[in-house]
Amino acid sequence: MFRASLPSRPEARRLLLGTLLSTVARGLTLPFLFVYLHEVRGLSATTVSFAVGWMGVLTLALAPVGGSLIDRFGARKVLLPGFLIEAVGVGSIALVHEPWHAYLSMTGVALGGAVLWSGMNTVMTSVTSEPERQKTFGLNFTLVNLGIGIGGLLSGVIVDVARPASFELVYVLSGIGNIIPAIILLTMPHIGHRVARAQQEDGAPVPSGGYLTVLRDKPFRRLIALSLVLAICGYAQMEIGFTAYASTVADVSPKVIGAAFACNALTIVSVQLLVLRWLEGRSRALGLAGTGALFAASWAVLGIGGLVPGTVAAAGAVLTCAVIFSLGETMMSPVMPAITNALAKPELRGRYNAMGSMVFGVSGVIGPVSAGPLIGGGHGGWWVALVVGGSLVACVLAVSLRPLLTPAQDGRDLTPVEPELATVKA
């Protein structure tokens, strides 16, 4: 199944290798941002939440600019400086001692990271064919979680709340690891350039449009609404909401939280290829409905853990939540970018993918800012109710998306289409 999921072009395979190596470094720090800033550096839960929310605001503001730059100049000219800036931002978190330090570090992470999602999806799409993209995006997500799982296990051994230097070490290592994809991209100078625009009879380029053209796409608007709800009630809650609830309401140790992230990642690695095989030829929209249902179930289980704080049952609920959540991720991760790029015009692909990344910018603001004050203020039950209810709303939106998609866009028609690499020019 792994071999069948690999893209045919060697460039795509090398990009996947870069994903794996860089996410090992990312996994060193992902489970511990809240624990590090709150328990080690002494920043309040609200301060940490708003600092992470500030990063989301910048990501949201910069994502559309990044999409335009990608379409205008090519993804590689935007990605290479983006990787470097993000690396500096992540590494600087090791130096945080005051609230303004946290805001400065989050600014660096946002400045670089705002273009990485849209840029890498654009590059990957250019070196894969339509039928293999869903599998490639799913495999990419598998490698992300394998890397995060490895990194999480390593950092779980290294970090200690009583030794701030242990956290400083993993943040510096994580920053260095973020440069790896840039190095790999530099070894392939022929990919990631601007897509050639079609020409009119007089030789003038056909107007490609801009964000207004993208926003007129009704199926894409529905997809963005669905993505936003799933992101706010899903991914945006993992780093702050899940961690804060597990540590302060369910009262489990940082090692249990680290193990939960590892279980999440290892579950994805174990079942993603099976899910990809199951999804092939089936409705992508209904797959997203399944994601919403699984997210809702995971948060409900976590809420049960909060009713028995500090017990083995609470630890079990935290771990079970992470596993169920991961099953939803295995359905969302290959489907969402596949639909986005199936709807996109090649010359506007940067903008389509940028709007997809803006979803995570919005959720990065709403998720932490809502979770931190609610859980920190002793209203963890309300937080659970909100994320469960929001996940169920996402199910309804996903079902409503299906009639707006063609069979090919919905993944039910797998007619081969050649990659776009031949249309790329320097």
Side-chain angles (χ1 to χ4, degrees):
M1 285 187 294
F2 176 77
R3 190 172 299 170
S5 299
L6 284 172
S8 57
R9 298 195 65 91
E11 297 93 339
R13 298 183 184 192
R14 290 167 72 178
L15 291 172
L16 290 173
L17 175 62
T19 293
L20 174 62
L21 296 177
S22 64
T23 51
V24 170
R26 181 186 175 198
L28 292 172
T29 59
L30 182 62
F32 300 115
L33 181 61
F34 180 84
V35 173
Y36 167 63
L37 293 179
H38 180 53
E39 298 187 20
V40 178
R41 296 309 192 193
L43 305 185
S44 70
T46 300
T47 296
V48 175
S49 297
F50 275 89
V52 177
W54 165 247
M55 180 176 64
V57 169
L58 284 183
T59 300
L60 175 62
L62 295 172
V65 178
S68 298
L69 293 174
I70 288 167
D71 290 334
R72 182 176 179 82
F73 299 107
R76 69 182 295 112
K77 291 182 178 179
V78 179
L79 280 172
L80 291 173
F83 280 122
L84 180 59
I85 294 170
E86 188 193 44
V88 173
V90 171
S92 70
I93 296 175
L95 305 176
V96 170
H97 288 86
E98 302 291 340
W100 72 269
H101 295 165
Y103 280 93
L104 186 61
S105 292
M106 295 302 107
T107 298
V109 175
L111 287 174
V115 301
L116 299 188
W117 171 278
S118 54
M120 288 303 293
N121 278 1
T122 299
V123 173
M124 186 64 78
T125 299
S126 74
V127 292
T128 53
S129 63
E130 170 61 34
E132 68 183 8
R133 281 175 195 157
Q134 180 168 292
K135 292 188 292 184
T136 301
F137 285 126
L139 181 57
N140 184 79
F141 188 67
T142 302
L143 296 176
V144 165
N145 284 275
L146 176 60
I148 288 174
I150 294 171
L153 289 173
L154 291 174
S155 63
V157 175
I158 296 170
V159 300
D160 184 344
V161 173
R163 293 188 298 113
S166 65
F167 285 90
E168 294 169 2
L169 173 63
V170 295
Y171 274 103
V172 170
L173 292 176
S174 184
I176 294 172
N178 281 333
I179 302 175
I180 293 174
I183 296 173
I184 290 179
L185 188 58
L186 284 171
T187 66
M188 298 182 290
H190 59 291
I191 70 170
H193 297 288
R194 181 169 57 89
V195 176
R197 290 165 59 184
Q199 294 185 341
Q200 303 178 32
E201 293 183 1
D202 60 1
V206 175
S208 60
Y211 279 107
L212 287 178
T213 303
V214 176
L215 290 172
R216 292 190 188 104
D217 188 335
K218 182 178 179 180
F220 187 65
R221 292 201 307 269
R222 186 68 55 84
L223 177 66
I224 288 297
L226 166 60
S227 302
L228 183 60
V229 176
L230 281 176
I232 291 172
C233 299
Y235 288 107
Q237 302 298 336
M238 284 303 287
E239 194 163 359
I240 297 296
F242 171 79
T243 305
Y245 190 93
S247 62
T248 63
V249 181
D251 193 24
V252 301
S253 70
K255 291 190 182 297
V256 172
I257 296 172
F261 275 89
C263 287
N264 173 277
L266 293 174
T267 301
I268 290 169
V269 172
S270 300
V271 307
Q272 181 71 84
L273 297 180
L274 292 171
V275 173
L276 287 174
R277 174 179 284 185
W278 182 82
L279 283 171
E280 191 167 359
R282 288 184 166 86
S283 170
R284 292 168 175 168
L286 295 184
L288 292 176
T291 296
L294 288 166
F295 282 2
S298 70
W299 298 131
V301 170
L302 182 64
I304 293 172
L307 300 177
V308 286
T311 65
V312 173
V318 170
L319 296 173
T320 302
C321 167
V323 171
I324 297 174
F325 189 88
S326 70
L327 296 176
E329 291 179 278
T330 63
M331 301 183 75
M332 179 178 176
S333 62
V335 166
M336 197 70 75
I339 298 178
T340 297
N341 285 281
L343 292 170
K345 297 179 180 180
E347 65 273 16
L348 291 176
R349 199 172 296 286
R351 289 177 172 86
Y352 271 83
N353 282 296
M355 290 214 50
S357 72
M358 287 173 66
V359 164
F360 294 93
V362 174
S363 66
V365 176
I366 298 175
V369 169
S370 59
L374 277 175
I375 297 172
H379 304 294
W382 282 107
W383 174 80
V384 172
L386 287 172
V387 292
V388 169
S391 298
L392 294 177
V393 169
C395 295
V396 176
L397 288 173
V399 172
S400 73
L401 172 65
R402 189 174 187 269
L404 303 180
L405 302 175
T406 66
Q409 292 166 346
D410 197 33
R412 290 171 281 134
D413 180 0
L414 301 179
T415 304
V417 179
E418 290 301 313
E420 296 167 7
L421 187 60
T423 68
V424 176
K425 69 176 183 179

